[in-house]
Amino acid sequence: MVTKRQHRRSINTSGHAHELTFSCFHRFPFLSKDRVCERLAESIRTACLDLEFSLWAFAFMPDHVHLIVHPSRPAYDVAEFLARIKQPTSRKALAFLRRGFPEWVEKLKVPRGQRTEHHFWQPGGGFDRNITEPRTLEKMIDYVHRNPVRKGLVAQPECWKWSSARYFLSGEQLPSLAVTPIPPEWTVGMSSQ
């Protein structure tokens, strides 16, 4: 029996924000290393700048990523945005593994016909939820920030290094990945406002 690969369907609607979640290959904890998180942060900064997306919230978990983003352009493509994040991060991480940890490269091997691919990210687009209302945005930010607490990694969301939770609590930005302030029209009706 042949199983078809499921593809994430993005709904690229002007004015919507997006909660994006994507995972490391086989949920390996590649993002438990700061050097990998720094590379990921660099790719996110570049993609946001080049494609005009605002980063509103994030959390890098050891084996997956949560981003809440808002495209500034009326016409945009979430799949292109994700590719601009995932491809450079994957390329750099795989090069690092090939140089120093060849045993890991074997674990990332996937045959594709006559060729072999190596995956850093789980194939497919991950999860994409469109956000249209401030209350939904508030709930999604809370969900993203509380993920490290739910997983037992920290006691409070702001204690997780690779998260925007500290920014929402005290205004403190992570030097390698700053979030964009959320516009007032998106904060109407939020409980903290």
Side-chain angles (χ1 to χ4, degrees):
M1 179 171 143
V2 176
T3 305
K4 282 186 143 187
R5 182 197 273 181
Q6 290 186 345
H7 294 279
R8 176 193 43 80
R9 182 172 168 256
S10 290
I11 301 173
N12 299 310
T13 303
S14 182
H16 287 198
H18 294 263
E19 191 275 321
L20 306 172
T21 302
F22 50 98
S23 301
C24 296
F25 190 60
H26 292 314
R27 300 293 288 234
F28 288 132
F30 291 135
L31 301 173
S32 60
K33 303 292 184 195
D34 280 344
R35 69 179 170 275
V36 180
C37 291
E38 291 288 349
R39 290 181 186 123
L40 176 59
E42 178 185 343
S43 295
I44 292 168
R45 281 193 318 270
T46 301
C48 284
L49 182 64
D50 292 350
L51 299 177
E52 298 178 42
F53 276 66
S54 295
L55 177 64
W56 285 354
F58 69 91
F60 300 174
M61 300 297 291
D63 61 356
H64 67 282
V65 177
H66 294 283
L67 304 175
I68 297 179
V69 296
H70 184 266
S72 300
R73 298 176 184 169
Y76 65 93
D77 184 358
V78 169
E80 178 185 2
F81 177 74
L82 285 171
R84 295 282 292 270
I85 292 169
K86 292 165 84 174
Q87 288 172 357
T89 304
S90 178
R91 194 171 38 252
K92 290 174 186 174
L94 288 170
F96 176 81
L97 290 172
R98 284 183 180 103
R99 284 191 308 271
F101 303 93
E103 67 279 5
W104 270 101
V105 176
E106 282 300 307
K107 294 177 185 180
L108 306 177
K109 191 165 36 174
V110 177
R112 290 273 187 252
Q114 298 295 327
R115 60 189 175 101
T116 300
E117 295 177 353
H118 294 88
H119 292 271
F120 180 82
W121 300 109
Q122 192 65 28
F127 180 77
D128 177 3
R129 176 181 179 164
N130 286 50
I131 304 171
T132 60
E133 300 291 329
R135 291 290 292 148
T136 305
L137 175 62
E138 180 179 37
K139 288 177 184 174
M140 294 311 304
I141 290 170
D142 185 60
Y143 172 82
V144 166
H145 288 161
R146 291 194 174 281
N147 207 321
V149 176
R150 282 191 304 277
K151 299 291 184 182
L153 300 170
V154 290
Q156 297 295 321
E158 63 275 11
C159 296
W160 188 247
K161 177 180 179 178
W162 290 101
S163 166
S164 55
R166 271 187 311 284
Y167 170 75
F168 282 82
L169 182 68
S170 67
E172 181 186 344
Q173 294 272 21
L174 190 64
S176 57
L177 189 60
V179 295
T180 306
I182 298 171
E185 64 270 20
W186 278 92
T187 61
V188 174
M190 285 188 173
S191 61
S192 59
Q193 300 301 315

